[in-house]
Amino acid sequence: MARAAKQRDERKTRKEQAEANRIRFGRTGAEKKAEREKLKKAERALDEKKLDHPAPLPDSSDKPD
């Protein structure tokens, strides 16, 4: 019977630790989605500000003599 009580206590301790970890480290699905949207928006804003590179100038070695 002592073993069963010990296992029950260990199980309870693990559950409490898991709950504390969820609170400490976990994020809700809504928080994760908001973060993804924020990153996408920032990436689009950066892409809009990029300059297009002009076509390279032809080399003088490519000209016929």
Side-chain angles (χ1 to χ4, degrees):
M1 216 168 186
R3 183 174 182 190
K6 183 178 178 182
Q7 288 176 337
R8 192 172 42 248
D9 290 343
E10 288 175 358
R11 202 174 309 122
K12 181 180 176 186
T13 303
R14 284 195 309 265
K15 283 184 178 183
E16 290 170 352
Q17 184 63 44
E19 180 63 28
N21 286 344
R22 281 191 288 273
I23 292 169
R24 187 172 175 198
F25 298 108
R27 295 189 301 163
T28 65
E31 290 171 332
K32 291 176 187 178
K33 183 178 179 183
E35 181 69 19
R36 281 193 302 267
E37 293 299 320
K38 182 179 174 184
L39 291 173
K40 285 180 185 178
K41 183 178 179 182
E43 188 175 332
R44 281 193 306 268
L46 183 62
D47 286 343
E48 290 172 358
K49 292 176 174 76
K50 285 185 180 179
L51 299 176
D52 292 331
H53 293 288
L57 297 174
D59 291 337
S60 59
S61 61
D62 291 341
K63 293 181 182 179
D65 289 332

